[in-house]
Amino acid sequence: MADRVSFLNINFDRMPESEAIEVLLARLLKRQGGRVYYGNAHTMVTAARNPALAQALEQGDLLLADGSGVRWGSAFLGTPLVHNLNGTDLVPSLCKNGAAKNLSIYLLGAKPNVASIAAANLKKAYPGLIIAGTQHGYFSDSETPQILEAIRVARPHLLLVAMGVPLQEIWIDQHANLLPGITCMGVGGLFDFVALRIARAPYFIRVIGMEWLWRLAMEPNRMWRRYIIGNLVFLSLVLSFASTLNQGEQTT
Ligand code: UDP
């Protein structure tokens, strides 16, 4: 059963993967629209110093827990988010389950050509899936209205926004209300993985919760700040939240 769990003052929706797919597919096919996000340690660290991101996460319709950092930190604080629901695993499952129901998706984000290669690979894997359109993620504010219009005309059930944290969440927060009936989901580096531009960690590394170490090894120049410094900041956020909780308990 799904329930809401507060972790570092942000509300997550806790549910197993099978339920997440069911809930998401129902939302998409009913054309409920809305905003769906994933929260991992990097998201939490960024939200702690970026109020626009914290607000976007708070105003989303679903926030799913992603990664071993969030799993460990939430368990440490006594509110365990036990299911790891990253978009890189969930989106292909969603496409697989939705393909027979004419699910249509639009891919927005990543470097030029990456979204179209990712779309072709998804289509090859799930032939029933409808690709409503693709657009790279390096566009200016002045191009945004025409990009929104193209998405509105294509009218996908699901808009995947792969522009990285916090850009994708803030973009969705600002524009989802202009896309009625279309669910927007922030998916980070998903297109790079599906287009096979960046290799995903082998299954056993993912199972033991070490995908972050793999990503660090794949892109050390870009990722060292996120995973070395970011993980330490995340640790200090969790520890200082725990000490606030302890102080609260001692004074009551
Ligand atoms: N990206 C983009 N527009 C930008 C900046 C980044 O489309 O202005 C893309 C980038 O090409 C990459 C993705 O956003 O495909 C970010 O991937 P990352 O793995 O960093 O995502 P995160 O883990 O931050 O969610």
Side-chain angles (χ1 to χ4, degrees):
M1 266 298 282
D3 55 358
R4 287 220 113 187
V5 170
S6 175
F7 172 52
L8 298 179
N9 289 328
I10 292 188
N11 287 317
F12 281 75
D13 297 280
R14 177 169 61 185
M15 64 186 91
E17 183 176 344
S18 55
E19 189 174 348
I21 292 168
E22 215 173 285
V23 166
L24 283 166
L25 209 49
R27 164 180 288 276
L28 299 177
L29 298 175
K30 279 192 227 149
R31 290 213 165 268
Q32 272 177 279
R35 304 146 204 238
V36 178
Y37 304 119
Y38 296 88
N40 57 27
H42 173 55
T43 317
M44 304 308 281
V45 167
T46 312
R49 57 176 184 254
N50 184 329
L53 174 60
Q55 182 190 308
L57 297 176
E58 220 27 70
Q59 289 181 355
D61 294 282
L62 273 181
L63 176 60
L64 302 172
D66 167 15
S68 35
V70 166
R71 191 165 35 187
W72 167 81
S74 59
F76 185 78
L77 295 177
T79 50
L81 290 156
V82 284
H83 311 286
N84 183 353
L85 297 173
N86 67 81
T88 312
D89 291 321
L90 215 107
V91 170
S93 299
L94 205 53
C95 293
K96 185 177 178 189
N97 285 274
K101 296 174 178 139
N102 296 325
L103 181 75
S104 61
I105 65 170
Y106 199 110
L107 292 80
L108 169 65
K111 297 208 168 109
N113 297 325
V114 176
S116 52
I117 296 172
N121 288 349
L122 286 171
K123 180 77 184 168
K124 207 187 303 169
Y126 315 112
L129 183 70
I130 296 168
I131 305 296
T134 63
Q135 162 66 48
H136 69 74
Y138 294 82
F139 53 88
S140 63
D141 286 349
S142 65
E143 292 170 284
T144 301
Q146 88 198 44
I147 288 171
L148 286 168
E149 183 57 17
I151 297 167
R152 267 193 299 268
V153 169
R155 207 169 139 71
H157 294 104
L158 175 62
L159 173 66
L160 297 170
V161 185
M163 302 197 292
V165 176
L167 191 58
Q168 61 197 16
E169 287 80 9
I170 294 171
W171 193 92
I172 292 173
D173 190 53
Q174 289 171 345
H175 300 104
N177 62 340
L178 303 172
L179 299 169
I182 300 172
T183 297
C184 303
M185 183 189 284
V187 290
L190 174 72
F191 302 169
D192 294 315
F193 294 124
V194 178
L196 306 179
R197 215 180 74 78
I198 296 176
R200 185 93 198 272
Y203 182 67
F204 79 93
I205 292 185
R206 283 184 256 157
V207 168
I208 60 170
M210 286 292 147
E211 186 162 22
W212 66 274
L213 207 52
W214 174 271
R215 292 198 69 189
L216 178 60
M218 288 291 113
E219 295 184 90
N221 291 341
R222 190 166 81 91
M223 293 300 185
W224 74 270
R225 197 180 292 276
R226 179 184 306 185
Y227 289 125
I228 306 293
I229 300 185
N231 284 359
L232 288 173
V233 176
F234 179 71
L235 183 64
S236 75
L237 281 178
V238 172
L239 294 179
S240 69
F241 198 89
S243 80
T244 319
L245 286 181
N246 280 342
Q247 277 165 15
E249 273 166 22
Q250 277 164 16
T251 52
T252 53

